[in-house]
Amino acid sequence: MQSRYIILIMLALFSVSCRKVISLDLNNAAKKLVVEANLTDDLNGCSVLLTQTGNFDGDNNFPTVSGAVISITDDAGVVTKLTETSPGTYTAPALVGKTGVTYRLLIAVGGDTIRSVSTMPKKVNFDQLTITADQILGNTRQVANVFYTDPEDVGHYYQFIQWKNDVKVKQIYTADNELTAGKDQQVKLYIYGGNVEDKDRLQSGDNVQVEMQCLDEAAHKYWFSAQQSATGSNNNAVPTNPVSNLQGNALGYFSAHTSQIRIVKVP
Amino acid sequence: MNKLLLLGLIVLTSIPALAQRKVSISGTLKSRSKGETLIGATVRADGSGGAVTNEYGFYSISLPAGSHTLEFTAVGLQGQTLAVSLNRDTTINIFLADESKSLDEVTVTAATKRRSLSSPQMGLEHVSTSEIKNIPVLLGERDPLKVITLLPGIKSAGEGNTGFNVRGGAADQNLILLDEAPVYNASHLLGFFSTFNSDAIKDINVYKGGMPSQYGGRLSSVLDIKMNDGNNQDYNVSGGIGLISAKLNVEGPIQKDRSSFLVSARRTYADVFLKLSSDSTINSNTLYFYDINAKLNYILGDKDRLYLSGYFGKDRMGVGDLFGLDWGNSTGTLRWNHIFSNKLFSNTSLIFSNYNYKILINSGGYNLNIFSQIRDWNIKEELQWYVSNKHSLRMGVNSIYHEIRPGEVTPNSPNSSINESILQRRHSLESAVYLSDTWKATDNLNITYGGRLTGFSILGKGDFYEVDPSGKVTDTLHYNDGQVVKTYLNFEPRVALSYQMNATSSIKASYVRNVQNLHLLANSTSSSPTDKWVASTNILKPEISDQVSLGYYKNLWDNAYELTVETYYKTMQNQVDYRDGADVFSNTNAIEAELLAGKGRAYGIEWLLRKRVGRLSGWVSYTLSKTEKQINGINNDRWYNATQDRTHDIAIVAMYKLSKKWSLSANWVYNTGNAVTFPAGKYRSGDQILFYYTERNGYRMPAYHRLDLGATCQLKTRKRWSSELAFSVYNAYARQNAYTIEFQQDPDNADKTQAVRTALFGLIPSVSYNFKF
């Protein structure tokens, strides 16, 4: 966050700086399996999406991976098999995650095995969602605010997902309570970045939906490190793949998290 | 090591026999007009041999009793010749007058010192204040750190970045000394300008290799900056007004010939322009820096001199009351020179250095301050013993007490959603003893050999950790106040020799080991004031580098040109980097859990052709080099190019004295782009595109090149008053050099991704006015 401000100030000061789309000759890496595995505390909250990486120059529709055998096993040894409901998407609608339970994910696909473990943490209540008008470097911006109270004990991790008129905002918002345990929180979900245009920002009349996820440390680490180093923007860190909680030859994550959604209209 | 000491003893015990019937002459060289002591001035006896003044202008030379002719010379000053008849040890203090400038002639004498062919010192670059004055720079803000990056083997860390990389080293591996005090962050305004005000500076040396044994604590280079002492003859005021800053320099005698003062201050006023904006959210922003250099010096008698010098600088920036960042260095040095005898010179220094930053954030419920600081107390005693014409010894002891406050987060309002979190202070004691002998083994062969023994003790109180390979803390060890957690003892041998082949050429070779116990953690590609300094711990080992280098030096065309070719090979151990996905801003005592350590290697060849005299002066430098790192846990444990690895690096600098009124200058730089990590693919994650990386630093930024032009017009001078206008154009052909390349979804086509280059500067003209009276 600090570096963001620093870069903004620099660009504001030396407004002669200039952005231009350029073409680069980037290597095409061998295709790699990508796993997006979620388990929430809601019905229909269990889904695993298998896709593959694509070339930088290619389009953003990635090939799906069918024919995998996927199961999730809980603490008590109860095994739930997922079924492929559409190409690459595997679900188990009846599997509802419970706080404090550790789930084991097993994926067998094309001779490879991917394993992961995720524990669904305690739910922290999503108290309120509001919109505020903030002054940022000379502009008035409508910003979504998430309110909750951090528990007294450290080790709580959150992810916030924001939709503007049912379109997901392409930003990753994470938080932990290393410095905020026991305090009332007001988290601002800024929409920023070099390619953000007015149409991407919140405008009067927009429907804003925010999901608050409580997730475990490893799942949080995935999103935190993705935000720091894998989104392609000049963030704080050296670019690298996010720290994954998967074992095996795949990118992605397995997250057992609680889910709460609130909706508000921009005044 | 024992062998070296033994050699030293044998050499020393043989001295009395050689020194028979000799007398020694010593003294101090000063400029007549200002009383400034002259560093590196030459004293020659009977047209050959001789001595060079030390950093306090002191020289000592031994000669057979009898009649001699002594010749004293220094760059930019009139030489002086003295016929003497000597029967006993004598003190001769010399004042050299300014060069007389004939009315209709352009001065074409040397602007900078000649590189010594006979001295074993290699890897040394010297920048003169006149070069700093003439070379065009961004927004006309004269900057010694920008000028040194035009020399071979010294690379700028990037546009708008004061950091520099020497022979493959990282930016934190440069020991930056201002009057002996280390400066921990040499940048102003996020790195666009350096902390060094060129008006206050007397002398700049950069050691890229073969560091003399009195220097230690950093792996890659020593940048030794000496401030002016202050004119003890007359009052002088000079100043300048530029596009972004104004400065004023006042100096003069407190008591003529005996004591003087100097105060030099500058302030930028970028924020004044912000204030002009009617927009309240722009004009409430803050952005400026100021700094002050001050110095007092007293001549207490023939044998004693005291210097008190200090630097204080501060940067402030802020976005309304949303965000603020203040940072600054302060240093202080108290030095006492004492001349014990014609042959023994002593300097005692008490040094203080402090760097801190403070961040203020007010965003939603986050109302907090973050504070961090590194502070040094340093005592040093050095003796220079001019044993004979064949041997001169330098020896010293030094002890530095470091206190680091790694991070202190405090809420700044009662409603803040942040808890106070104060990281434990870290204390350490860094001590060294050193000895070196410069030995004129034969008429052609000079050898400097010696070494430095350093001890780094990590002191309690505090918690120290055991960390497993995955970065999990497995054990916490508690230490009490004053308890020694661990001591690292290292011996750093230093050897250099020169062989002069004839009057115009020589070869030199050197080996040096350096040890570094303070490490700067910088995860991002550009430096930031909030990068963290950490000391070695039980886990974090001292960084060690070993460098061998070989050089060839030749004066060409009647000494008008100097050709220097140096090659080096350097290995580095215990190089630190962040783990992938490390939380850079994490406020944890166990910082080691976020780090990995590995090794590095660097090698290259540097060419420098320099013209020192004449209407046209300047240089061409070319560096061909390679720098790699290998850290288990990064890049699948394979060797990879360090960010600062640039294959080719070229600089051409030209200064031309057109007339008495006008002087022109130009410099052109070209370098291979930095090694950089670009994606090899992409994938979706949470309905969003992430980029897929297969190799660390496997790509290159586009090549960087830039031309800067400058012109200085000397305005009419009246009695003491003189003034000039300096014009400069930065990036004269408006090359769009890539500052960053980012990857993003195409805003016009959600189905595509694109690469976007940001260039920081187009063509930037500037003008500044400087005066002196």
Side-chain angles (χ1 to χ4, degrees):
Chain A
M1 200 60 150
Q2 289 119 321
S3 297
R4 274 281 159 197
Y5 280 114
I6 291 168
I7 288 164
L8 283 176
I9 291 173
M10 269 167 31
L11 295 184
L13 174 66
F14 301 99
S15 49
V16 283
S17 79
C18 152
R19 284 170 63 85
K20 186 169 184 272
V21 175
I22 56 169
S23 78
L24 285 176
D25 184 18
L26 299 174
N27 298 333
N28 292 332
K31 297 239 178 302
K32 193 160 178 171
L33 178 68
V34 181
V35 176
E36 293 174 70
N38 292 293
L39 176 64
T40 74
D41 54 348
D42 280 328
L43 276 173
N44 298 314
C46 173
S47 78
V48 174
L49 179 61
L50 299 187
T51 54
Q52 282 184 318
T53 58
N55 291 339
F56 183 84
D57 297 329
D59 66 28
N60 294 341
N61 298 310
F62 300 98
T64 54
V65 177
S66 292
V69 176
I70 303 181
S71 65
I72 291 175
T73 307
D74 69 12
D75 280 349
V78 178
V79 181
T80 306
K81 289 240 182 289
L82 282 70
T83 53
E84 189 168 3
T85 46
S86 64
T89 303
Y90 303 77
T91 61
L95 181 61
V96 174
K98 290 189 185 66
T99 286
V101 177
T102 299
Y103 297 91
R104 289 169 193 286
L105 172 74
L106 180 65
I107 301 174
V109 56
D112 280 343
T113 305
I114 314 294
R115 292 168 204 277
S116 184
V117 177
S118 186
T119 303
M120 185 172 292
K122 195 179 109 181
K123 182 188 282 191
V124 174
N125 193 54
F126 184 174
D127 293 331
Q128 204 187 348
L129 174 66
T130 66
I131 303 290
T132 52
D134 293 5
Q135 298 293 321
I136 298 166
L137 287 174
N139 298 298
T140 304
R141 302 272 188 238
Q142 306 291 335
V143 180
N145 295 252
V146 171
F147 291 83
Y148 62 97
T149 301
D150 247 324
E152 291 282 352
D153 55 323
V154 293
H156 289 268
Y157 301 93
Y158 313 98
Q159 183 183 201
F160 309 102
I161 298 169
Q162 182 173 201
W163 288 265
K164 170 186 146 87
N165 299 329
D166 298 325
V167 177
K168 185 182 176 289
V169 172
K170 305 280 189 264
Q171 307 254 313
I172 298 170
Y173 305 100
T174 60
D176 60 45
N177 75 337
E178 186 187 319
L179 291 174
T180 56
K183 298 276 188 172
D184 292 337
Q185 301 300 314
Q186 178 189 358
V187 176
K188 290 188 174 285
L189 307 183
Y190 294 108
I191 300 173
Y192 59 76
N195 60 336
V196 169
E197 299 175 0
D198 267 348
K199 67 176 167 60
D200 303 316
R201 298 194 178 92
L202 303 186
Q203 312 291 347
S204 186
D206 282 349
N207 276 310
V208 177
Q209 176 181 322
V210 172
E211 178 188 5
M212 173 173 170
Q213 299 179 351
C214 300
L215 28 64
D216 71 2
E217 187 178 2
H220 170 266
K221 185 83 175 177
Y222 177 84
W223 293 112
F224 175 82
S225 56
Q227 195 277 329
Q228 283 224 315
S229 54
T231 61
S233 69
N234 182 46
N235 270 337
N236 305 319
V238 173
T240 181
N241 298 324
V243 180
S244 173
N245 61 354
L246 303 177
Q247 291 177 296
N249 187 24
L251 295 161
Y253 65 94
F254 172 40
S255 169
H257 56 260
T258 66
S259 167
Q260 300 165 78
I261 291 177
R262 291 190 174 272
I263 299 172
V264 71
K265 203 177 185 82
V266 179
Chain B
M1 170 188 173
N2 288 336
K3 275 186 191 159
L4 272 181
L5 286 181
L6 192 64
L7 179 65
L9 286 174
I10 290 169
V11 166
L12 289 180
T13 47
S14 63
I15 286 161
L18 297 170
Q20 275 174 1
R21 304 222 6 91
K22 291 213 169 170
V23 293
S24 66
I25 308 137
S26 69
T28 305
L29 258 69
K30 294 176 188 174
S31 89
R32 174 164 293 162
S33 61
K34 293 184 170 179
E36 288 277 348
T37 54
L38 302 172
I39 301 173
T42 311
V43 184
R44 283 154 68 90
D46 307 320
S48 72
V52 172
T53 56
N54 74 2
E55 56 273 41
Y56 302 98
F58 179 82
Y59 74 94
S60 172
I61 187 168
S62 295
L63 295 169
S67 295
H68 297 283
T69 309
L70 297 176
E71 194 188 348
F72 302 88
T73 51
V75 167
L77 299 171
Q78 283 182 37
Q80 199 171 320
T81 308
L82 207 64
V84 287
S85 179
L86 300 164
N87 300 311
R88 66 176 94 86
D89 291 353
T90 313
T91 301
I92 302 176
N93 294 324
I94 294 287
F95 291 86
L96 297 183
D98 286 352
E99 241 157 13
S100 64
K101 287 176 188 169
S102 57
L103 288 172
D104 47 17
E105 244 178 275
V106 172
T107 49
V108 288
T109 49
T112 180
K113 284 178 210 165
R114 177 179 294 174
R115 192 186 292 275
S116 165
L117 292 176
S118 59
S119 158
Q121 182 61 53
M122 58 186 302
L124 171 64
E125 299 293 350
H126 178 264
V127 180
S128 73
T129 46
S130 78
E131 285 164 339
I132 295 169
K133 202 177 141 205
N134 284 316
I135 290 172
V137 287
L138 177 64
L139 292 165
E141 193 62 33
R142 291 166 183 169
D143 193 336
L145 292 198
K146 296 282 155 58
V147 173
I148 65 166
T149 62
L150 299 169
L151 293 161
I154 306 171
K155 305 182 182 192
S156 161
E159 190 126 51
N161 196 331
T162 316
F164 56 97
N165 302 105
V166 178
R167 291 189 172 172
D172 70 319
Q173 294 173 347
N174 305 314
L175 180 64
I176 301 177
L177 298 174
L178 179 64
D179 270 0
E180 291 189 44
V183 176
Y184 281 97
N185 183 330
S187 74
H188 275 313
L189 247 165
L190 302 167
F192 286 100
F193 305 103
S194 84
T195 50
F196 303 109
N197 178 349
S198 57
D199 283 359
I201 290 170
K202 170 149 123 182
D203 193 68
I204 299 173
N205 283 318
V206 194
Y207 298 86
K208 303 182 287 188
M211 291 82 177
S213 60
Q214 67 264 32
Y215 297 111
R218 299 289 185 282
L219 289 197
S220 290
S221 80
V222 179
L223 172 61
D224 192 1
I225 299 181
K226 300 269 191 284
M227 273 166 61
N228 279 323
D229 296 329
N231 192 330
N232 69 11
Q233 300 296 307
D234 207 354
Y235 292 96
N236 261 314
V237 179
S238 62
I241 297 164
L243 280 188
I244 67 148
S245 79
K247 52 191 180 180
L248 192 67
N249 183 70
V250 182
E251 58 185 315
I254 300 171
Q255 196 188 357
K256 199 176 173 195
D257 293 331
R258 299 202 70 81
S259 55
S260 63
F261 73 94
L262 171 137
V263 180
S264 192
R266 64 179 172 161
R267 188 193 191 281
T268 56
Y269 33 71
D271 55 327
V272 174
F273 296 118
L274 298 179
K275 294 269 185 300
L276 296 176
S277 166
S278 57
D279 186 330
S280 70
T281 49
I282 295 230
N283 66 27
S284 64
N285 293 342
T286 340
L287 184 74
Y288 68 86
F289 71 79
Y290 62 89
D291 55 24
I292 299 163
N293 292 77
K295 193 156 176 174
L296 289 172
N297 86 88
Y298 292 91
I299 297 170
L300 299 175
D302 290 344
K303 296 191 179 309
D304 296 280
R305 185 161 185 177
L306 270 184
Y307 303 82
L308 178 66
S309 53
Y311 166 85
F312 182 80
K314 196 92 187 158
D315 274 71
R316 295 183 83 93
M317 53 182 248
V319 183
D321 54 5
L322 197 66
F323 175 79
L325 173 61
D326 292 7
W327 78 95
N329 295 280
S330 42
T331 69
T333 312
L334 176 64
R335 284 177 293 181
W336 169 41
N337 288 173
H338 179 69
I339 299 168
F340 281 103
S341 75
N342 283 346
K343 293 185 167 191
L344 189 60
F345 179 92
S346 148
N347 178 56
T348 311
S349 306
L350 281 173
I351 303 160
F352 168 81
S353 178
N354 186 83
Y355 172 71
N356 60 33
Y357 68 80
K358 197 169 115 180
I359 300 168
L360 168 117
I361 297 172
N362 283 308
S363 161
Y366 294 124
N367 310 106
L368 65 137
N369 293 324
I370 304 171
F371 177 80
S372 179
Q373 179 176 282
I374 178 165
R375 179 172 284 185
D376 282 1
W377 294 97
N378 183 348
I379 181 163
K380 193 168 157 187
E381 166 59 34
E382 183 178 89
L383 291 173
Q384 293 176 38
W385 181 17
Y386 301 86
V387 182
S388 69
N389 275 355
K390 287 213 177 295
H391 291 275
S392 62
L393 291 176
R394 195 188 268 260
M395 62 200 101
V397 292
N398 170 217
S399 200
I400 311 173
Y401 181 70
H402 302 286
E403 185 195 62
I404 299 177
R405 294 163 72 178
E408 299 178 4
V409 177
T410 47
N412 64 13
S413 110
N415 304 324
S416 176
S417 60
I418 297 284
N419 295 311
E420 186 174 86
S421 164
I422 309 276
L423 292 188
Q424 292 171 356
R425 295 183 185 196
R426 296 296 193 199
H427 299 102
S428 51
L429 190 66
E430 187 172 8
S431 305
V433 288
Y434 58 86
L435 172 70
S436 71
D437 175 20
T438 299
W439 172 30
K440 287 180 185 161
T442 71
D443 280 349
N444 298 329
L445 181 66
N446 287 295
I447 303 173
T448 301
Y449 60 94
R452 185 177 171 89
L453 182 67
T454 55
F456 190 84
S457 299
I458 303 147
L459 306 174
K461 76 184 198 194
D463 294 336
F464 290 82
Y465 303 90
E466 300 288 348
V467 173
D468 74 8
S470 72
K472 288 265 178 298
V473 174
T474 53
D475 197 11
T476 302
L477 315 161
H478 302 283
Y479 290 87
N480 294 326
D481 228 337
Q483 239 183 316
V484 176
V485 179
K486 185 159 182 120
T487 296
Y488 291 105
L489 210 56
N490 281 289
F491 180 65
E492 306 169 34
R494 312 277 171 100
V495 188
L497 56 89
S498 67
Y499 181 77
Q500 188 156 357
M501 295 182 290
N502 52 46
T504 60
S505 61
S506 69
I507 50 172
K508 302 182 188 185
S510 72
Y511 162 71
V512 57
R513 166 171 279 204
N514 275 297
V515 174
Q516 177 163 353
N517 278 292
L518 294 173
H519 323 275
L520 185 69
L521 302 180
N523 197 23
S524 59
T525 37
S526 59
S527 68
S528 150
T530 59
D531 293 342
K532 269 183 192 158
W533 283 100
V534 295
S536 297
T537 67
N538 53 325
I539 299 173
L540 223 52
K541 303 270 188 299
E543 299 174 55
I544 297 173
S545 76
D546 292 281
Q547 186 189 163
V548 286
S549 51
L550 187 67
Y552 173 73
Y553 310 82
K554 172 90 184 157
N555 292 342
L556 301 161
W557 295 293
D558 220 9
N559 292 338
Y561 289 82
E562 275 178 9
L563 173 69
T564 304
V565 185
E566 289 192 6
T567 173
Y568 64 92
Y569 185 89
K570 180 158 74 174
T571 59
M572 293 169 272
Q573 304 169 45
N574 305 323
Q575 301 296 288
V576 189
D577 208 341
Y578 274 110
R579 280 174 190 278
D580 287 349
D583 184 355
V584 185
F585 298 114
S586 169
N587 217 45
T588 169
N589 285 312
I591 187 76
E592 297 94 335
E594 309 274 351
L595 305 175
L596 292 168
K599 53 193 178 185
R601 62 185 177 208
Y603 44 93
I605 183 162
E606 302 161 355
W607 303 75
L608 178 66
L609 180 67
R610 192 167 188 150
K611 184 169 186 291
R612 296 184 316 117
V613 289
R615 273 171 182 269
L616 177 70
S617 63
W619 66 85
V620 178
S621 89
Y622 170 60
T623 309
L624 175 68
S625 64
K626 184 85 194 156
T627 308
E628 294 167 295
K629 285 169 111 174
Q630 190 273 323
I631 297 177
N632 288 340
I634 294 177
N635 200 43
N636 300 317
D637 307 348
R638 291 191 306 260
W639 283 93
Y640 62 93
N641 295 329
T643 302
Q644 66 269 23
D645 174 54
R646 297 181 194 152
T647 314
H648 306 284
D649 210 309
I650 300 169
I652 301 174
V653 176
M655 287 163 274
Y656 187 72
K657 193 99 180 136
L658 188 65
S659 64
K660 249 191 104 56
K661 196 172 161 67
W662 284 94
S663 52
L664 307 176
S665 60
N667 60 266
W668 183 76
V669 291
Y670 171 93
N671 61 254
T672 311
N674 278 349
V676 67
T677 307
F678 285 157
K682 60 185 174 180
Y683 57 102
R684 51 159 288 160
S685 197
D687 236 356
Q688 178 164 347
I689 302 298
L690 295 184
F691 294 99
Y692 176 38
Y693 299 96
T694 53
E695 194 182 2
R696 171 74 69 101
N697 288 348
Y699 292 89
R700 291 274 164 196
M701 293 293 273
Y704 181 101
H705 51 94
R706 194 189 76 229
L707 174 72
D708 305 331
L709 301 172
T712 306
C713 174
Q714 194 73 45
L715 302 175
K716 272 212 178 95
T717 51
R718 253 175 280 121
K719 280 189 185 167
R720 295 178 48 125
W721 172 271
S722 71
S723 61
E724 61 175 33
L725 272 174
F727 303 91
S728 75
V729 179
Y730 181 85
N731 198 7
Y733 55 85
R735 156 88 176 167
Q736 296 283 299
N737 283 306
Y739 179 65
T740 62
I741 291 179
E742 297 180 279
F743 302 91
Q744 62 182 36
Q745 192 168 310
D746 186 342
D748 302 322
N749 180 359
D751 215 22
K752 287 283 180 190
T753 40
Q754 57 185 203
V756 179
R757 175 194 71 199
T758 300
L760 222 40
F761 302 111
L763 178 153
I764 300 194
S766 73
V767 59
S768 55
Y769 173 76
N770 299 306
F771 63 88
K772 194 158 65 178
F773 61 85

